[in-house]
Amino acid sequence: MASDLDNCYLCKEYLRDPVSIPCGHIFCSICLKTYWDHTDHTGSYLCPQCRVTYNKRPTPRRLGGSRQSSLQRNSDPYPPPPPSPDYNMAGPHDVPCDVCSDKKYKAVKSCLMCLASYCEKHVRSHSSATFKRHKLVDVIDNLDRQVCPQHQKGLELFCRTDQMCICVLCTVKEHKGHDMVSAEQERSDEQQRLGATQAEIQEKIHNRLKQMEELKQAVDSLKTSAQRTMQECEKMFGDMMRSIERMQQEMAKLVTSNKRAALNNAESHMERLSHEIADLKRRDDEITQLSRTEDHIHFIQSYHVLIAQTEAEELPNVAVNRYFSFGQASKTVSEMKQHLNELANDELAKVAKSINKMSFCELEDSKKKRSMKAGDEAPMYKPMQVLEPQHRDDFLRYACQLTLDPNTAYRQLYLSRGNRKAALKKDPQSYPDSSARFDSLPQVLCMENLSGGAYYWEVDWSGEGAAIGVTYKNLKRTGYGDSCRIGYNRKSWSLFCSDSSYSARHNKDQMEINAPYSSRIGVFLDHAGGTLSFYAVGEGMSLIHRFKASFTEPVYPGFWVWYESAITLIQL
């Protein structure tokens, strides 16, 4: 007997020529066409199953290829091995040979005179005397950037007045009288400035490593302090009467919960520092590689991009409270022992207030730090209270940087912009095998897990439909069922966005929401407080929907992307 997954919701029969619509539901092609043809009276279209509304009639997408392959994988335990790839063929990230006609092979050299790239076979022609004046360099992508778009001549000079590369003919009219030097001279000057930038990045790496070491030492001290306090408190509580046994349990709970919260906070910052160190090292390697290139034009054009990225970035410092400890707890328990029952409750409240208001470590606001006067003292710690944000600046206090995880991405999802953008394509991508990958649904999760605090991120979406949400790590990854869909089970929550409405989804509950269209969605997660809120980001922050839940484990931001649609994580 066929399962409900293989039956059409409309005819209740086995799916014939199955098609899918933006909300993700699947029907027989003829059943869906007949349904919409006979219900088109108001100018809007509804999903027959979940009732999501569309202003224009969506284009159904056939699932024959991916669904058939899925069924074939289930029925055939021994599929034939794929053919061996030709590693000399040019892939999507390679520069193809400009001479190859049928099959494009990888280019190994580029000629700055011919403005063409050649594979190993066709580059041999440049070894003859005819081409002795030609200059071969390591393969360069986008050779058209080496040519003046106006005169179709090679770029040889740099105009310092207009800050651009020019050809010889440009000096006659467009840049006449300007301050011009050779590309080699400009590269030499910028090479010195690039060295200063690299030294700055290396200093940042050193500072980050130093902060990482301080944080590790503080964590060790934190664990030791917590353990010592627990032992002292247990010993003193053992000398008390039975009437204060309840308060002993409260004290143990207080210390343990604060230790856990502080450790979670420290681990989050250490993970952030690791990512920033890796990014700085990567940029340092890019500068080293750029310094060694033989192509002056490529150097100049890439130099400005690297400088702009470095100048625009400000890395917040991690402030570690060296005085964070649980010693006050031991002192207070000793006082409670003297005063017994009459003062016990009041003193316990003092301890809770003293520890809760101390932060173990947090990111400093670099803007506020610069605006402090010379005589002002920075506070040793700040309260870690999560207030309900009202304005976008308030939300940005909780901003977190997210990255899409290629190991979870559906094979037809194309990731770009440093794994911050996902778009659904017709052709599958060459991802490696991974048990964490969604094999049947166009979904992807982020690398980062969020827990124990407040977080905010923003997502740009476009196209016919996309879903934005969070999920626990153990969400099922294989098949088409609701147990795999973000928002359709008790392990996940999501907001589905279409061109005319929104739909909030969790487990079996679905709520249709009429709100103004917004291409940018802000997501605010208070993991400890148990709220997940979605906002339309524009001139102000307009609440679309808020989930209230008790999150029992870390959650991962996740997305569902429809055909001709895309989502982009915004760097805040």
Side-chain angles (χ1 to χ4, degrees), residues 22-38:
C23 60
H25 290 115
I26 305 171
F27 311 90
C28 297
S29 175
I30 186 64
C31 293
L32 182 62
K33 182 179 184 302
T34 303
Y35 176 84
W36 275 342
D37 287 345
H38 288 80

Side-chain angles (χ1 to χ4, degrees), residues 48-260:
Q49 188 167 348
C50 69
R51 314 303 291 175
V52 166
T53 305
Y54 303 95
N55 281 340
K56 62 180 181 179
R57 185 165 176 166
T59 303
R61 306 289 177 172
R62 281 185 166 79
L63 298 178
S66 61
R67 189 175 180 84
Q68 232 175 2
S69 61
S70 178
L71 294 175
Q72 185 177 3
R73 287 197 302 269
N74 295 334
S75 59
D76 187 3
Y78 302 103
S84 300
D86 186 352
Y87 293 101
N88 291 322
M89 296 294 294
H93 303 293
D94 298 319
V95 177
C97 175
D98 292 319
V99 181
C100 294
S101 56
D102 297 332
K103 297 181 178 180
K104 291 288 186 179
Y105 283 87
K106 295 179 183 178
V108 295
K109 290 290 183 179
S110 296
C111 178
L112 298 181
M113 183 74 71
C114 303
L115 293 178
S117 299
Y118 303 96
C119 63
E120 291 185 357
K121 175 182 177 182
H122 293 114
V123 77
R124 297 171 187 166
S125 61
H126 273 63
S127 60
S128 64
T130 306
F131 300 96
K132 65 180 180 179
R133 295 183 180 275
H134 290 210
K135 184 176 181 180
L136 291 175
V137 297
D138 291 337
V139 63
I140 300 175
D141 196 5
N142 298 324
L143 274 171
D144 55 340
R145 296 173 61 188
Q146 308 283 327
V147 180
C148 175
Q150 184 172 358
H151 302 108
Q152 301 302 312
K153 296 292 185 180
L155 299 174
E156 302 177 4
L157 304 173
F158 182 77
C159 177
R160 288 179 172 174
T161 304
D162 295 331
Q163 290 293 300
M164 61 184 297
C165 297
I166 60 175
C167 69
V168 175
L169 295 181
C170 291
T171 64
V172 178
K173 184 178 180 181
E174 292 84 355
H175 298 269
K176 184 178 180 180
H178 289 188
D179 182 12
M180 294 173 288
V181 295
S182 66
E184 183 177 3
Q185 177 62 41
E186 180 65 17
R187 183 253 171 84
S188 177
D189 295 343
E190 292 183 347
Q191 180 85 40
Q192 297 179 3
R193 293 192 289 270
L194 189 65
T197 301
Q198 186 173 17
E200 181 181 349
I201 291 179
Q202 291 173 350
E203 183 180 359
K204 290 181 180 179
I205 294 175
H206 174 74
N207 292 337
R208 254 23 195 174
L209 291 172
K210 182 179 179 181
Q211 291 178 18
M212 175 74 81
E213 184 61 29
E214 291 178 355
L215 194 56
K216 288 181 179 179
Q217 294 176 0
V219 167
D220 293 339
S221 176
L222 171 74
K223 293 179 180 179
T224 302
S225 175
Q227 182 65 26
R228 182 175 60 252
T229 300
M230 288 292 295
Q231 293 174 352
E232 293 175 354
C233 291
E234 289 176 0
K235 182 178 182 300
M236 287 185 287
F237 272 118
D239 298 335
M240 293 183 182
M241 300 172 60
R242 188 179 297 273
S243 61
I244 62 171
E245 287 181 355
R246 177 186 59 83
M247 283 174 281
Q248 178 188 9
Q249 297 173 357
E250 290 296 326
M251 178 61 72
K253 181 180 179 181
L254 174 65
V255 174
T256 303
S257 63
N258 277 274
K259 181 186 75 172
R260 185 185 301 112

